[in-house]
Amino acid sequence: MHAALTSLDDHVRLTVRLTPNGGRDAIDGFESAADGGEYLKVRVRAVPEKGKANQALIALLAKQFGIAKNRIALISGDTQRKKILRIEADPEDIIKRLAEIVG
């Protein structure tokens, strides 16, 4: 399991580095930060205005994980590139789907 994922009883916390205006909506894989932390690198076409990029991030992840958008919540990083998301789903299922997506 990647350090970007924290598996809890009924949900997963996922650390993401979001690139708005990324040209396409895509999950680019896991990457290490300079501070030694790890995050999932994601890009979206949406602009970083009025929460549009955050909404696009949640929509992209919900589609990839096969869950409803309302099961993904932004915990921190509303206006920053680094974000922490709470994903209400079976942690093992999320881990499995991420492995399929990023290899």
Side-chain angles (χ1 to χ4, degrees):
M1 186 163 74
H2 292 276
L5 288 166
T6 304
S7 177
L8 300 165
D9 290 337
D10 63 341
H11 71 279
V12 174
R13 287 195 181 191
L14 177 63
T15 303
V16 173
R17 182 173 184 271
L18 180 64
T19 302
N21 285 328
R24 61 189 169 101
D25 294 342
I27 297 173
D28 294 331
F30 289 98
E31 198 167 277
S32 296
D35 64 3
E38 189 176 52
Y39 53 82
L40 182 66
K41 194 173 170 186
V42 180
R43 68 177 70 201
V44 294
R45 286 182 288 237
V47 295
E49 295 173 357
K50 300 179 183 174
K52 290 178 183 177
N54 291 338
Q55 292 171 357
L57 168 65
I58 289 171
L60 173 64
L61 292 177
K63 182 178 179 182
Q64 292 295 320
F65 296 149
I67 61 174
K69 290 186 278 188
N70 66 357
R71 296 183 66 193
I72 301 176
L74 186 65
I75 295 174
S76 69
D78 186 43
T79 59
Q80 300 167 344
R81 283 186 170 218
K82 182 179 173 187
K83 301 175 185 301
I84 298 176
L85 301 170
R86 175 187 169 111
I87 304 169
E88 292 184 32
D90 178 26
E92 290 184 20
D93 188 42
I94 297 299
I95 293 166
K96 179 182 161 192
R97 287 183 185 260
L98 265 176
E100 292 170 357
I101 294 166
V102 298

